[in-house]
């Protein structure tokens, strides 16, 4: 049974039935292009059937690495950025909790993320948080040369060596990187770190179901076999090229229809703080895949009800170029009954004894109605539970949708040429060898 349900009923005032019909052949073609690997960037589409080809043997190194970390460490520091970071963080929050490190139980270890910023304060404070606890490091980088994780890795390697000695440190480093190439691969081979492979045919933002996401998940106590089983089932659930049978295609189609009507910003909204990183992961997936050739929907996010007290005004009455996709959890892992006091001093007597989960859901329904009335088209993705099954299917749903969506925009959804521009400017200003020409130009610009 599918763990997620797609609901487009919040589009009634915005999209007519015939509009979906009009785009269905384009969507069919985009889907066929994706699964037949005949489109732009086809070399990076192995994620389409990655989960279903995993076996006990292919997963054994990941399980073994997680068990070793759990046996000798209390903490795993996961070093990576972008696609080498967001998936694991999203997964741990989603299945476990944003408070995983405080609530950690059983064999699971605490998982902290580093190397996703340049901030000295972040690194220094994480160092203090780890304190005397035994720790291991999983450094994740396909290229091995990405500045932020490479810098963080230097710090944590130094710390490992200081605590465990040269040989002991090597035993506590797992490098997740390219199978053959790159600086991290060479270093791992020279130093004898255990390595896990980032598959050639899967780009960073689609890599959460490879070792990139699976090792941190397994170390945190998530059942990665179940996540992959759910994603493998999703491969079948979302295999039809008919958008009336395949909700991922319907989602891609509606997004495109809305874009053509001027709704160029999508807000991925949630009603659970533990889904905040789902949105962060999704923003990279959508933004880096679609934002090319001056096209693409701008992916943004909102965390409700928190952001109703900050962004709510804009969403209700600001520029009408927004649409909203709300991820709704049908069965919360926790529920609480609002305490009875018999007093109405806080005006809450009418809620006494009610389930907080029901209040949260009712608030979500009310907000959809208000936003639709305010001119914000609404889509919903219902996930049954925040468990491994829900996670595996949700990942596949969004990946499939953006692959198709990219081809509907007639761009290559699997490259990211635009991310190089900032690196060139940064390296030039930092006087990186090889950037001498650009260094001159950029320094001169600053001196103008
Ligand atoms: O999706 C992507 O390709 C990027 O977000 C990369 O994952 C990110 O830049 C990190 O790159 P690397 O894994 O080479 O360090």
């Amino acid at each position: 049974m599918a763990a997620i349900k797609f609901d487009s009923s919040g589009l009634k005032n915005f999209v007519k039935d015939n509009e979906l019909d009009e785009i269905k052949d384009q969507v069919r073609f985009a889907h066929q292009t994706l699964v037949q690997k005949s489109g732009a960037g086809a070399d990076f589409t192995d994620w389409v059937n990655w989960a279903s080809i995993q076996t006990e043997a292919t997963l054994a190194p990941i399980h073994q690495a997680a068990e070793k970390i759990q046996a000798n460490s209390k903490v795993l520091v996961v070093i990576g950025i972008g696609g080498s970071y967001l998936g694991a963080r999203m997964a741990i929050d989603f299945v476990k909790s944003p408070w995983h490190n405080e609530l950690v139980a059983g064999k699971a270890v605490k998982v902290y993320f580093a190397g996703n910023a340049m901030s000295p304060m972040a690194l220094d404070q994480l160092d203090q948080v780890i304190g005397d606890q035994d720790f291991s490091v999983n450094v994740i980088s396909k290229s091995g040369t990405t500045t932020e994780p490479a810098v963080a890795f230097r710090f944590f390697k130094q710390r490992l060596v200081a605590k465990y000695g040269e040989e002991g440190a090597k035993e506590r480093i797992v490098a997740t990187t390219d199978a053959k190439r790159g600086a991290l691969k060479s270093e791992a081979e020279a130093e004898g770190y255990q390595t896990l492979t980032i598959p050639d045919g899967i780009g960073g933002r689609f890599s959460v179901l490879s070792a990139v996401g699976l090792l941190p998940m397994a170390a945190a106590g998530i059942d990665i076999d179940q996540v992959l089983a759910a994603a493998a089932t999703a491969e079948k659930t979302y295999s039809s090229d008919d958008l009336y049978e395949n909700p991922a295609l319907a989602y891609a189609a509606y997004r495109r229809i809305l874009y053509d009507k001027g709704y160029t910003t999508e807000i991925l909204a949630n009603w659970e703080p533990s889904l905040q990183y789902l949105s962060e992961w999704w923003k990279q997936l959508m933004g880096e895949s679609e934002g090319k050739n001056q096209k693409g929907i701008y992916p943004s996010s909102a965390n409700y009800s928190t952001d109703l007290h900050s962004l709510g005004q804009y969403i209700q009455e600001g520029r009408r170029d927004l649409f909203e996709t709300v991820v709704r959890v049908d069965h919360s892992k926790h529920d609480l009954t609002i305490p009875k006091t018999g007093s109405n001093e806080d005006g809450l007597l009418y809620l006494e004894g009610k389930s907080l989960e029901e209040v949260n859901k009712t608030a979500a329904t009310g907000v959809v109605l208000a936003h639709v009335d305010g001119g914000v088209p609404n889509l919903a993705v219902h996930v049954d539970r925040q468990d491994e099954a829900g996670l595996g299917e949700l990942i596949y749903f969004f990946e499939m949708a953006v692959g198709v969506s990219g081809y509907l925009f007639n761009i290559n959804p699997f490259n990211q040429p635009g991310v190089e521009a900032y690196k060139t400017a940064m390296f030039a200003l930092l006087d990186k060898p090889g950037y001498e020409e650009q260094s001159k130009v950029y320094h001169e610009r600053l001196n103008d």
Side-chain angles (χ1 to χ4, degrees):
M1 202 185 74
I4 70 177
K5 273 190 314 232
F6 175 66
D7 176 8
S8 59
S9 58
L11 292 186
K12 252 186 234 125
N13 302 346
F14 305 94
V15 178
K16 298 190 185 68
D17 288 348
N18 65 312
E19 292 180 85
L20 196 60
D21 226 40
E22 280 160 17
I23 200 174
K24 82 172 189 304
D25 289 337
Q26 274 182 64
V27 172
R28 186 189 301 280
F29 182 69
H31 181 258
Q32 286 170 353
T33 304
L34 175 64
V35 297
Q36 291 166 8
K37 291 181 176 284
S38 55
D43 286 351
F44 290 94
T45 56
D46 285 359
W47 55 269
V48 172
N49 60 356
W50 178 255
S52 59
I53 61 170
Q54 299 313 302
T55 62
E56 223 173 285
T58 59
L59 295 172
I62 299 175
H63 282 298
Q64 283 156 12
E67 281 159 21
K68 184 172 167 189
I69 291 163
Q70 289 174 339
N72 69 10
S73 299
K74 290 273 176 237
V75 167
L76 174 65
V77 179
V78 175
I79 298 176
I81 195 165
S84 294
Y85 145 68
L86 287 164
R89 180 141 193 193
M90 167 270 278
I92 293 171
D93 276 16
F94 184 94
V95 178
K96 295 288 181 177
S97 160
W99 301 100
H100 168 74
N101 293 336
E102 286 74 15
L103 298 170
V104 71
K107 287 196 289 183
V109 295
K110 300 176 190 175
V111 178
Y112 293 105
F113 293 90
N116 51 68
M118 216 76 88
S119 156
M121 177 166 149
L123 269 184
D124 201 37
Q125 291 186 338
L126 177 54
D127 192 52
Q128 291 173 41
V129 167
I130 295 169
D132 292 339
Q133 299 175 92
D134 279 315
F135 74 104
S136 295
V137 167
N138 178 205
V139 54
I140 308 173
S141 179
K142 190 158 186 170
S143 60
T145 52
T146 307
T147 314
E148 294 90 334
V151 167
F153 186 41
R154 281 194 174 214
F155 278 103
F156 283 101
K157 213 168 23 181
Q158 200 174 46
R159 203 179 187 287
L160 279 172
V161 172
K163 190 169 164 90
Y164 301 104
E166 291 280 351
E167 291 312 307
K170 289 176 189 174
E171 283 299 306
R172 289 171 176 272
I173 295 172
V174 181
T176 305
T177 190
D178 191 272
K180 300 185 203 81
R181 292 170 295 270
L184 183 56
K185 178 68 183 169
S186 313
E187 180 179 343
E189 274 179 355
E191 298 290 333
Y193 309 148
Q194 183 186 352
T195 55
L196 296 172
T197 299
I198 307 182
D200 272 348
I202 299 183
R205 60 190 173 276
F206 290 84
S207 68
V208 52
L209 297 179
S210 73
V212 171
L214 294 178
L215 176 59
M217 283 190 228
I222 294 176
D223 186 334
I224 59 170
D225 297 323
Q226 279 188 31
V227 176
L228 286 166
T233 304
E235 290 175 19
K236 297 193 195 101
T237 312
Y238 301 104
S239 63
S240 168
D241 61 13
D242 181 343
L243 59 77
Y244 293 106
E245 288 169 13
N246 183 341
L249 302 194
Y251 174 48
Y254 281 126
R255 293 177 82 249
R256 182 58 214 248
I257 292 168
L258 290 167
Y259 177 83
D260 286 342
K261 290 173 184 282
Y263 297 103
T264 53
T265 295
E266 179 175 12
I267 302 171
L268 194 76
N270 64 69
W271 284 81
E272 290 293 341
S274 49
L275 300 193
Q276 185 176 343
Y277 267 86
L278 174 70
S279 298
E280 297 306 319
W281 169 82
W282 173 92
K283 283 194 280 194
Q284 187 199 1
L285 183 70
M286 294 289 165
E288 227 170 60
S289 300
E290 275 185 1
K292 286 158 206 168
N293 301 353
Q294 283 82 49
K295 294 190 259 191
I297 294 169
Y298 180 74
S300 68
S301 62
N303 306 299
Y304 295 152
S305 61
T306 314
D307 289 339
L308 292 173
H309 300 260
S310 57
L311 297 172
Q313 171 62 37
Y314 191 103
I315 296 169
Q316 193 66 43
E317 295 183 348
R319 262 170 73 97
R320 299 298 74 186
D321 56 2
L322 308 172
F323 70 99
E324 208 168 29
T325 300
V326 187
V327 179
R328 298 184 64 164
V329 179
D330 285 342
H331 299 96
S332 170
K333 275 199 252 186
H334 302 270
D335 196 8
L336 293 170
T337 302
I338 296 176
K340 292 188 180 171
T341 65
S343 144
N344 198 28
E345 272 187 23
D346 56 4
L348 290 189
L349 195 62
Y350 76 108
L351 291 180
E352 273 196 7
K354 287 201 174 166
S355 136
L356 188 53
E357 183 185 359
E358 287 313 315
V359 172
N360 196 29
K361 283 182 180 164
T362 308
T365 304
V367 169
V368 170
L369 297 178
H371 286 180
V372 165
D373 289 347
V376 180
N378 184 275
L379 293 164
V381 178
H382 287 257
V383 57
D384 189 39
R385 285 169 208 281
Q386 283 182 240
D387 57 9
E388 283 85 348
L391 177 69
E393 187 172 339
L394 209 49
I395 289 168
Y396 196 81
F397 173 84
F398 283 127
E399 289 184 346
M400 172 55 69
V402 79
V404 170
S405 187
Y407 286 143
L408 289 177
F409 277 113
N410 209 16
I411 49 97
N412 176 352
F414 304 112
N415 65 2
Q416 52 283 328
V419 300
E420 294 310 312
Y422 95 86
K423 291 185 188 168
T424 304
M426 179 176 81
F427 292 148
L429 290 174
L430 288 170
D431 300 316
K432 183 173 176 170
Y435 286 78
E436 289 77 9
E437 289 276 306
Q438 295 99 321
S439 287
K440 243 176 95 200
V441 175
Y442 278 98
H443 283 299
E444 269 169 26
R445 271 177 69 183
L446 285 188
N447 291 334
D448 267 354

